[in-house]
C-alpha cells in the first residue's frame, strides 16, 4: 500500500523555497500550530465537558506524537522518546473520560441493553472528567508543550548538518508505510482473538495518515487514493477499538455499576459485537 513517488501536478506547483527548505528549518512551522491547537483544546476541556472537547485534545496530542516521531532521526534520541511518552500520557489522561463517552453512546444507541445503566454511567463519567481535568491542570500542559517546542527547535536550528525537507519527509513517510505494511501482514496471519495485532494496524495507519496530512504539499505525487484507504482502515478498525475498549471498561467496572442495570446483558452484547467487528476488520485486511 505504498504511496506513489511520481512527480505530479502537486509537485510542479510547489513553491521553490518550500522545496529547497531544510527539514531542520521547517520543523517549527509544522510543530508550532500543533502545539497551539493542543494548548487551546486543553484549555477548552476545563470549560467544556462535552465529548467533542476531549476528543479534539486527544487527537491533537496524537498528531504531536506522530510529528515528533517523524523528526526522530534529527533529534536526540532520549529527549525525543521522553517527549513522545509525555504526549501519550496527556492523551491517556484525556482518553480515560473519552472512553466512558464512547461506552455511554454505544449503550444509549442499543435497545437491547437496559437503559437503567445510563444514569450510573454518567455519574462515573463525571468522576473520570474531574480526574482528567485535575491531571491535565497539574501537568501544566501549556508550559510543557511550549518548552518541548522551544527545546526541539533550538536543537534543530543549531545542528551542523542540514537535510533537504523533501528528501527527509519522503524517507519518513516511506518508513511509516513499511511499518503499516508489516503490521497488516502480521494481523492477516493472526488469530481472530489476537486483538493487539489489529490494534497495531490501526495505530500504524493513523501515523501514515498524519504524516501525509502534514507533508502533502512537499511530497511528490498524489496521495488522495492512499488517504482514502487509510480512512477506511481508521473507520473499520476504530469501530472495533470502540467495542473492545468499551467491553473492557464495562467488565472492569462491574462492581461500580452493581444494581444499576443488567450488566450481564450488556457484556453479552459487547462480546457478540466484538466478534462481528473482528470478522469485518479481517475482511478489510484481505482486500488491502
Amino acid at each position: 500500500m505504498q504511496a506513489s513517488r511520481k512527480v505530479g501536478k502537486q509537485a510542479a506547483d510547489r513553491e521553490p523555497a518550500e522545496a529547497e527548505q531544510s527539514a531542520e528549518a521547517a520543523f517549527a512551522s509544522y510543530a508550532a500550530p500543533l502545539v497551539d491547537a493542543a494548548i487551546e483544546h486543553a484549555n477548552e476541556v476545563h470549560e467544556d465537558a462535552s465529548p467533542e472537547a476531549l476528543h479534539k485534545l486527544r487527537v491533537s496530542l496524537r498528531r504531536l506524537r506522530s510529528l515528533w516521531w517523524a523528526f526522530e532521526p534529527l533529534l536526540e534520541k532520549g529527549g525525543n522518546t521522553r517527549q513522545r511518552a509525555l504526549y501519550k500520557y496527556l492523551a491517556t489522561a484525556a482518553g480515560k473520560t473519552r472512553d466512558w463517552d464512547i461506552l455511554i453512546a454505544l449503550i444509549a444507541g442499543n435497545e437491547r441493553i437496559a437503559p437503567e445503566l445510563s444514569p450510573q454511567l454518567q455519574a462515573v463519567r463525571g468522576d473520570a472528567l474531574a480526574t482528567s481535568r485535575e491531571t491535565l491542570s497539574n501537568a501544566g500542559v501549556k508550559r510543557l508543550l511550549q518548552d518541548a517546542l522551544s527545546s526541539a527547535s533550538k536543537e534543530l536550528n543549531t545542528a551542523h548538518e542540514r537535510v533537504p525537507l523533501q528528501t527527509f519527509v519522503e524517507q519518513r513517510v516511506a518508513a511509516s508505510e513499511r511499518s503499516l505494511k508489516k503490521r497488516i501482514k502480521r494481523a492477516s496471519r493472526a488469530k481472530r482473538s489476537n486483538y493487539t495485532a489489529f490494534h497495531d494496524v490501526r495505530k500504524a495507519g493513523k501515523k501514515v495518515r498524519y504524516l501525509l496530512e502534514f507533508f502533502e504539499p512537499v511530497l511528490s505525487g498524489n496521495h488522495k487514493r492512499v488517504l482514502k484507504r487509510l480512512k477506511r482502515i481508521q473507520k473499520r478498525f476504530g469501530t472495533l477499538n470502540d467495542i473492545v475498549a468499551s467491553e473492557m471498561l464495562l467488565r472492569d467496572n462491574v462492581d461500580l455499576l452493581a444494581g444499576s442495570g443488567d450488566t450481564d446483558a450488556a457484556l453479552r452484547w459487547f462480546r457478540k459485537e466484538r466478534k462481528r467487528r473482528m470478522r469485518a476488520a479481517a475482511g478489510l485486511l484481505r482486500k488491502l
Side-chain angles (χ1 to χ4, degrees):
M1 208 178 78
Q2 193 161 349
S4 170
R5 292 289 177 266
K6 295 180 181 179
V7 178
K9 184 177 184 299
Q10 187 177 5
D13 292 341
R14 191 185 306 128
E15 292 291 334
E18 183 180 39
E20 296 171 4
Q21 191 177 23
S22 71
E24 290 82 358
F27 171 78
S29 66
Y30 291 109
L34 297 181
V35 167
D36 290 343
I39 292 171
E40 179 182 352
H41 295 321
N43 291 335
E44 288 173 354
V45 166
H46 290 281
E47 305 294 334
D48 183 358
S50 71
E52 188 63 23
L54 288 157
H55 177 63
K56 288 180 178 179
L57 174 58
R58 188 157 66 165
V59 170
S60 68
L61 290 164
R62 284 173 173 170
R63 287 170 63 84
L64 273 171
R65 194 162 181 250
S66 293
L67 184 69
W68 253 254
W69 178 89
F71 280 85
E72 182 178 30
L74 304 181
L75 292 166
E76 189 271 322
K77 184 176 181 180
N80 181 274
T81 300
R82 287 190 296 273
Q83 198 56 47
R84 291 174 60 215
L86 171 64
Y87 297 146
K88 184 176 182 179
Y89 167 76
L90 296 174
T92 300
K96 288 180 178 179
T97 305
R98 175 63 179 163
D99 289 342
W100 283 107
D101 288 328
I102 294 170
L103 173 59
I104 289 169
L106 286 169
I107 286 180
N110 191 331
E111 297 178 352
R112 299 180 183 179
I113 301 176
E116 292 84 358
L117 275 172
S118 293
Q120 184 63 19
L121 290 174
Q122 289 287 357
V124 178
R125 190 263 186 191
D127 293 338
L129 176 61
T131 301
S132 292
R133 283 173 165 172
E134 182 179 4
T135 300
L136 294 169
S137 178
N138 291 341
V141 174
K142 181 177 180 179
R143 178 184 56 80
L144 285 173
L145 298 187
Q146 289 179 337
D147 286 351
L149 173 60
S150 176
S151 175
S153 297
K154 181 179 180 181
E155 181 181 348
L156 292 170
N157 288 333
T158 56
H160 296 297
E161 298 182 2
R162 288 288 184 269
V163 181
L165 177 61
Q166 183 182 1
T167 301
F168 179 75
V169 299
E170 294 275 4
Q171 291 173 347
R172 295 307 285 160
V173 169
S176 69
E177 289 175 336
R178 287 194 298 271
S179 178
L180 173 58
K181 186 176 181 180
K182 180 179 179 180
R183 280 157 178 75
I184 288 175
K185 185 176 182 180
R186 183 182 302 162
S188 298
R189 297 175 175 176
K191 295 181 179 179
R192 292 282 175 84
S193 60
N194 186 357
Y195 170 69
T196 300
F198 287 77
H199 188 53
D200 286 345
V201 171
R202 177 172 175 259
K203 291 191 295 183
K206 278 189 175 183
K207 183 181 292 181
V208 176
R209 180 182 173 185
Y210 290 153
L211 264 59
L212 288 176
E213 291 173 347
F214 294 152
F215 303 129
E216 191 172 17
V218 181
L219 292 167
S220 58
N222 188 312
H223 301 270
K224 290 183 179 179
R225 182 176 296 180
V226 176
L227 282 168
K228 186 176 181 179
R229 290 180 180 176
L230 291 172
K231 288 177 182 179
R232 286 180 63 199
I233 290 175
Q234 190 168 334
K235 182 177 180 180
R236 186 77 58 92
F237 284 72
T239 302
L240 169 61
N241 181 69
D242 289 348
I243 294 295
V244 172
S246 294
E247 180 187 6
M248 187 180 302
L249 190 61
L250 187 60
R251 192 179 298 281
D252 290 345
N253 291 275
V254 168
D255 291 342
L256 289 176
L257 302 171
S260 60
D262 192 348
T263 53
D264 288 339
L267 286 170
R268 285 196 297 271
W269 179 84
F270 275 111
R271 183 165 57 250
K272 183 178 179 180
E273 190 66 10
R274 167 170 45 86
K275 292 178 180 179
R276 187 174 77 85
R277 296 293 181 178
M278 288 283 280
R279 288 194 297 270
L284 178 59
L285 286 179
R286 288 193 292 269
K287 298 177 182 178
L288 295 177

